[in-house]
Amino acid sequence: MTRDDRVELAARNNARWCHAMCLAHGLTGSFAPDAWTAARRTPPLHPDAVTLTRGASAASVLARTDTAAPGASVKDSFAALDLAPAGFEVLFEAQWLHRPAHGDTGPGRAGPRWERVTTAGELAGWADAWDGGQGLAGLFRPELLRDADTAVLAVRGPSGAPVAGAVVTADGTAAGISNLFTADGDLDTAWAGCLAAVSRMWPGVPVVGYEHGEDLAAAVRQGLSPAGPLRVWLATA
């Protein structure tokens, strides 16, 4: 696969996750060859558009998003757009990640077994652990558990409460890891365990995602490779 092929794979998988989150909140997104877009404001932490090709144009993407209401955001998957003239600024930059199908789980120890969350009560406990008191646990609604491509994974401590977790978007083309967290701060063990679970549950597909900072460094240490830069733009007006 070329560099752009890997980015396209990761971006489409990530757009599928954004689409699932929107559906869980009663919103509908639309897929087009150049971008996934939502005509109404998406849930917090999720973009209103995700570009899917390097050739996506700013004008075309913004025409399909709600730029009138505050807080519009665009995930510029190829770091190729200039949205500053439209009143946007770069919120953050990150790297797409890729591991080929049948890639190993990296040098770290897998640690405790990761299992799928299956009930609304389990999801609520997972969301509280992921949120850490930031007030965003309500993002993860029970409707997500009915999405065929979405799996919420958890590691449970002695009390049964989640101590680590992640979301996996397994859409048939890739397994995308997002929202990975761990209570003890050991990101290497969390990434190793999550990757081992993905290899066990979805064998034979590439693993994708995106991260920055310490999460990116830990993911790379556990066998994922940077595939290309992305930018998230936020409207300032």
Side-chain angles (χ1 to χ4, degrees):
M1 299 180 74
T2 68
R3 181 186 179 95
D4 276 10
D5 288 339
R6 293 192 292 271
V7 171
E8 284 194 19
L9 181 70
R12 290 180 184 279
N13 181 276
N14 185 255
R16 178 65 186 86
W17 161 236
C18 295
H19 189 72
M21 177 61 83
C22 284
L23 289 176
H25 285 255
L27 305 172
T28 303
S30 299
F31 285 90
D34 63 335
W36 172 88
T37 55
R40 292 172 53 198
R41 185 65 67 249
T42 52
L45 307 183
H46 292 77
D48 299 286
V50 180
T51 62
L52 303 177
T53 65
R54 184 176 291 278
S57 75
S60 176
V61 171
L62 293 180
R64 287 173 277 156
T65 61
D66 180 5
T67 56
S73 61
V74 174
K75 185 171 288 178
D76 175 9
S77 299
F78 293 83
L81 300 178
D82 180 8
L83 300 184
F88 286 71
E89 64 181 21
V90 176
L91 180 63
F92 68 87
E93 298 181 330
Q95 278 281 334
W96 291 111
L97 294 164
H98 180 269
R99 188 189 76 180
H102 308 297
D104 63 38
T105 57
R109 295 187 304 161
R113 190 174 178 86
W114 291 55
E115 301 289 355
R116 194 163 184 164
V117 169
T118 59
T119 69
E122 290 175 348
L123 180 62
W126 183 98
D128 285 338
W130 166 85
D131 180 58
Q134 299 301 303
L136 293 170
L139 276 173
F140 291 88
R141 296 184 173 181
E143 289 83 354
L144 279 172
L145 299 177
R146 298 200 292 267
D147 187 90
D149 295 342
T150 301
V152 180
L153 304 184
V155 177
R156 296 178 175 87
S159 69
V163 295
V167 174
V168 178
T169 303
D171 60 2
T173 64
I177 298 174
S178 62
N179 296 279
L180 184 139
F181 73 91
T182 179
D184 64 6
D186 185 352
L187 289 170
D188 283 278
T189 296
W191 273 102
C194 184
L195 287 166
V198 168
S199 294
R200 170 169 54 90
M201 296 179 180
W202 298 279
V205 298
V207 178
V208 295
Y210 77 91
E211 295 292 351
H212 58 94
E214 289 301 315
D215 292 276
L216 172 62
V220 170
R221 286 193 296 268
Q222 298 307 317
L224 289 162
S225 298
L230 66 97
R231 296 188 185 115
V232 173
W233 295 81
L234 178 67
T236 57

